[in-house]
Amino acid sequence: MNRYRTKVDEEVQAIDLTPMLDVVFIMLIFFIVTASFVKDTGKEITRPDSTTAEDSPRASLLIAVTKENEIWMDNQRIDPSVLRLAIERMRVENPKGAIAIQADEHSNIKFVVEIANAARQAGITDVIVSTQKSN
């Protein structure tokens, strides 16, 4: 009788981790699904300084203009003639995303205007020019 009683006591004291693991996996799935993924442009840009810069966390489509006046998006160099099509493709992946143009301080403003025009033709009205906040 004593042996049987010891075995039952050991089973009662064991902690069942299954419900806790279920909760952890559900939380992990929730965070993965709800996270917004921002794609990098693929080029390092030196942004111009601005005294009136404001934070805008909504921009999720990044387009870079290098000092050599090359347009980069999603780690690929984009030809200006197919820029609108590339923006439309990115918009399919993120329909509510705004565009942030990261232009190098030595780039030509013509390319920034081309990107803004292509974005508006693709139906995106929220276009932001990214700057460096100066003190």
Side-chain angles (χ1 to χ4, degrees):
M1 181 84 174
N2 197 12
R3 268 189 205 169
Y4 177 73
R5 183 78 177 146
T6 307
K7 189 174 183 179
V8 171
D9 287 341
E10 287 176 7
E11 289 179 6
V12 170
Q13 291 177 356
I15 298 174
D16 186 15
L17 296 178
T18 306
M20 184 180 72
L21 290 174
D22 289 344
V23 169
V24 169
F25 283 125
I26 289 171
M27 288 175 54
L28 178 66
I29 291 169
F30 173 77
F31 287 122
I32 289 173
V33 170
T34 59
S36 65
F37 298 100
V38 178
K39 293 188 176 183
D40 192 19
T41 60
K43 280 293 187 176
E44 193 67 32
I45 303 295
T46 305
R47 296 178 292 172
D49 291 334
S50 173
T51 56
T52 60
E54 297 178 14
D55 291 335
S56 180
R58 288 187 41 211
S60 59
L61 305 173
L62 301 177
I63 301 174
V65 180
T66 64
K67 61 183 173 184
E68 294 86 16
N69 295 317
E70 296 175 338
I71 299 173
W72 284 77
M73 184 169 76
D74 197 17
N75 292 324
Q76 297 176 358
R77 184 173 177 220
I78 304 293
D79 189 62
S81 63
V82 296
L83 183 60
R84 186 178 60 90
L85 296 173
I87 291 173
E88 287 175 352
R89 180 182 52 86
M90 292 289 285
R91 186 165 189 222
V92 168
E93 295 175 11
N94 190 354
K96 294 183 181 179
I99 287 186
I101 303 171
Q102 297 177 337
D104 193 272
E105 62 185 351
H106 300 292
S107 65
N108 192 337
I109 192 72
K110 169 188 165 193
F111 292 95
V112 175
V113 173
E114 280 186 28
I115 295 170
N117 287 337
R120 289 198 175 87
Q121 289 172 354
I124 300 176
T125 57
D126 198 2
V127 178
I128 301 161
V129 176
S130 180
T131 60
Q132 185 72 30
K133 199 175 219 176
S134 64
N135 296 332

